[in-house]
Amino acid sequence: LPTWKNKNGKVHTDKDGKEIGMMSMTMDFPPAKGVDLSKLKRGDKVAVTFSVWWGHSPTWLAMKVEKLPDDTKLDFGTP
């Protein structure tokens, strides 16, 4: 997420000051109420729309989870 901003409204930068946002990682996204995950299985490729509330718990929730076609190419944008 190259334009991801932290709770201070700043985009994360590398050691040279280049904006890099949030790097790829594994993290939990609890589903919001009403988000159905029952048709997904481990290994499915998905697109997640999430919302963030700094200072609240949970801080983020998956608002929408959409299964992608199996042949979808994923790009994790490593610098």
Side-chain angles (χ1 to χ4, degrees):
L1 303 171
T3 59
W4 173 262
K5 294 180 182 171
N6 63 24
K7 65 181 175 181
N8 298 318
K10 304 285 184 190
V11 176
H12 182 70
T13 58
D14 66 13
K15 62 180 173 35
D16 297 320
K18 178 184 172 197
E19 290 186 346
I20 58 174
M22 182 190 292
M23 305 300 289
S24 61
M25 67 183 80
T26 300
M27 59 189 289
D28 293 331
F29 279 94
K33 187 174 185 176
V35 174
D36 181 12
L37 304 178
S38 66
K39 294 181 178 132
L40 298 175
K41 65 184 183 311
R42 182 179 296 268
D44 282 346
K45 295 175 183 177
V46 298
V48 177
T49 302
F50 65 97
S51 292
V52 177
W53 299 275
W54 296 113
H56 292 86
S57 181
T59 302
W60 47 78
L61 288 174
M63 305 306 289
K64 179 180 178 183
V65 179
E66 177 183 9
K67 185 179 183 312
L68 300 173
D70 291 337
D71 61 350
T72 300
K73 302 274 190 252
L74 300 178
D75 177 5
F76 295 105
T78 54

